[in-house]
Amino acid sequence: MKHARNAAPGLLGVAQNLFASLGTTGKVISGTLAAVVAATPFGAWNAVADDAIPLAADATVEVGPYEVVIEKVVSTKTLGDVQPLDPADKLLVVVAEVTNTSDVPAHAHQLADIVPAPVGAGVVDTESRPVPDDAEPGDRPLPNRYNIADAGELDVINPGVTYRVALVWNQDGDAAPETVRVDLAGLHWIEEGFAGLDDEYWLPTDEVTHSGMFDVEPPKSQAGNGSGSGGDGGGADAGEGDTGGAEASGGTDTGGGADDGAGTGTGAGAGDGAGAGTGDDAGAGGTASGSAESGA
Amino acid sequence: MSRRGFSWRTMLFAPIAIGAATWFVTQVPQDTSVDRPFEIEGAVGETVRLDYADLAVTDVRVAQRIDGEGGAQAGGVFVVVDAVWEAADRTLSIGGAELVDAQERTHAATSRSGCATATTAVPAYGQRITYCFDVVPDALDGAQVRLGRGGDGEDGAFQRRDAVAVVDLGLDRASLEEASADETPLWIDAPAPVVEAGPGGEENA
Amino acid sequence: MTAVVDVRERGWWRRNAIWLAVLPLMVAAAAAAWSFRLMNLWWPTELVERVDSVGAGETAHFVGDYYDLGLTDPALANTWVTREVDVRVLDVREVDGLPQSVLAEIDRIPDGAAAWRVELELTAEPGTDLGLCQVMLVTSDGTRYGEASKAGTRPDPLGQGNPCMPPDSMDSIAPEAGTWQVSTVLLTRAGDTPDEIWFSFGNPHYVTLDVP
């Protein structure tokens, strides 16, 4: 408004006169309105995109109906019976613990919206095309999801129940990042949709709310899982568990094929990865391998 | 001129009328009296008569692990509910299954390890279906299942003004201890016709 | 006294003026209440169009349009096709056994149920697509036995194939013979006696035939 002082009569002059004629309250209100209108085209009302809250391993984050704890990121050749779509590729696995904190069931497929593919990890889509690092969360490939305790598919997560899940993407075979950026994207509650046609559900916002760098546990050396080194990642132990009847699946189709073929090995894989790989969590490894053997 | 186009009265009153109608519709109570399902209560072993089908919850079990198609480990504990549906007068899709606990939390049935969440009921014979709910242990106390033909939908849209059976499962903490003691996975069968009328089975004149 | 006389003189129309005024509103309310059934005009989800209805031993003429996706004949893809089939009931009788099939879910008649064998004679132009054929037994109280599930194709628990097709046929195309006989077994509640056969290829068209 400052520059309007010397303006010739015209639109600005009229505005100036009008503004001057207002009382103090009127000036405050109209000034605020003007600021709101002026800021709108510049994305003032877009959700915060750049200043995501820092995310660290084992930190609890509330997203939609869930509490999510990202445990670790593992790169592996195979995870039980789960193999990359392209044999030259690897699997990138995000191990997370999720709890439904609401009073109603939540659908596990939302985990794919909550945890977009990690950035800087060489994640490829189902056709082995690399995913650009600046891809929006909604444009990144969707992971396969496994319940680590039984290597099965999770469909519904009921109130209060906690699952340890493996989210699995295809990773470029040549990519060997030491760290990757893991993002969490939000969910928005739709109480009443358009004309009440579709109510009461969580809509993915595809906007990153939390973001943090995670160390990647590297894949062990090829198929030489007989080396027995304690530092072996997920694949070795799972592979020895049951390699037979493997359904070579993976990738972004979250449908049944991969899950059916997963068998009990997946549980062992991710579980042992937790125990041996980080060397800090014998309990987790024990739990997972225990369930795997009982399920076998 | 005014005959051919909208008169100013129309221009003025049409929005007002639409606005008034909209306001009126929003005043109609929607949550309780109008669209609440008709709940018919029953107990395990009883036949519940809904207007479109007869339902009997024949057995309730609790398990840490189930097996059927692949096997599954409960995140909480599995409540496994056997039910028999017999349609009244035509073939029906049965899609609604949820468990409501004493704290009014709702829990959905899972399709893991061969558990079914939906089936088809016919008038000629009973169709058995096994529902599984993976719930936290404290949901066992006073747990009830709500079974109906309409799917739950997240806002219950498919059960409005329709009959739903509410069956108390009679579970408590002791049921959980039994489940923890037994290590054998509970075998889950796919939905199938009931050939032999047993206790709780359908009876037809 | 004069008032009473006045009322009588006003006649029926005037005495019931209020109700006459209310009547259109009630009609409108009733129309609104059943208006959801109007959906069947353009999106019929039930058997609402009875094409033909015949007595015992007579031949019913089924005519119904369907939208062909070209799954069996690519030349018909994405066109509306009129399907015409003549049906005659040869026999409906209660039987003690079920047909043997490796696809069957049950191998004997469930307790409280009864099995009926329905024999039909069909006539259709060779090449007519007879997919989704349904044969139903309907009792006098309106109970429909053997109706297909709306939600999808629930396999027959007795493991029988398409009830319109001769045994061992691999497809659902009307055979070259032009006229052929089929036989299918349906389950009802024990004690129920079917009055009618309903014959359909899914919503909304159907024909009814009295049981001989």
Side-chain angles (χ1 to χ4, degrees), chain B residues 70-159:
Chain B
Q73 165 79 39
V77 61
F78 282 116
V79 177
V80 179
V81 177
D82 287 328
V84 176
W85 283 97
E86 182 171 332
D89 59 3
R90 63 191 58 187
T91 303
L92 293 176
S93 297
I94 303 288
E98 59 184 24
L99 184 148
V100 183
D101 64 22
Q103 302 167 51
E104 304 263 301
R105 293 178 299 188
T106 56
H107 309 259
T110 179
S111 56
R112 290 155 66 196
S113 189
C115 296
T117 58
T119 190
T120 303
V122 296
Y125 51 84
Q127 174 81 356
R128 185 198 47 73
I129 175 171
T130 302
Y131 300 104
C132 311
F133 303 88
D134 188 354
V135 303
V136 280
D138 70 355
L140 293 179
D141 283 316
Q144 296 179 320
V145 283
R146 291 171 60 91
L147 306 175
R149 66 174 157 186
D152 309 302
E154 287 182 40
D155 57 353
F158 299 108
Q159 291 184 348

Side-chain angles (χ1 to χ4, degrees), chain A residues 103 147 150 155 158 163 200 294, chain B residues 72-73 106 108 110-112 134:
Chain A
D103 289 341
N147 178 18
D150 58 21
D155 51 354
N158 280 325
Y163 297 97
E200 298 182 28
S294 54
Chain B
Q73 165 79 39
T106 56
T110 179
S111 56
R112 290 155 66 196
D134 188 354

Side-chain angles (χ1 to χ4, degrees), chain A residues 144-249:
Chain A
N144 279 352
R145 312 173 309 270
Y146 302 99
N147 178 18
I148 289 175
D150 58 21
E153 183 188 11
L154 267 186
D155 51 354
V156 56
I157 300 182
N158 280 325
V161 185
T162 300
Y163 297 97
R164 203 155 155 260
V165 298
L167 303 169
V168 183
W169 288 267
N170 287 309
Q171 184 188 25
D172 188 334
D174 296 330
E178 288 187 4
T179 60
V180 296
R181 198 183 89 213
V182 176
D183 296 334
L184 294 183
L187 298 175
H188 177 63
W189 179 249
I190 303 294
E191 179 69 29
E192 185 172 327
F194 172 72
L197 292 174
D198 198 3
D199 300 342
E200 298 182 28
Y201 67 98
W202 289 101
L203 178 75
T205 60
D206 290 336
E207 277 161 11
V208 174
T209 57
H210 295 72
S211 190
M213 301 304 290
F214 282 71
D215 292 338
V216 181
E217 289 177 23
K220 58 194 175 41
S221 55
Q222 291 302 325
N225 55 3
S227 65
S229 89
D232 275 359
D237 305 300
E240 116 200 353
D242 51 339
T243 48
E247 187 166 339
S249 188

Side-chain angles (χ1 to χ4, degrees), chain C residues 105-116:
Chain C
E105 287 181 74
I106 51 178
D107 54 2
R108 68 179 184 83
I109 301 170
D111 292 351
W116 296 78

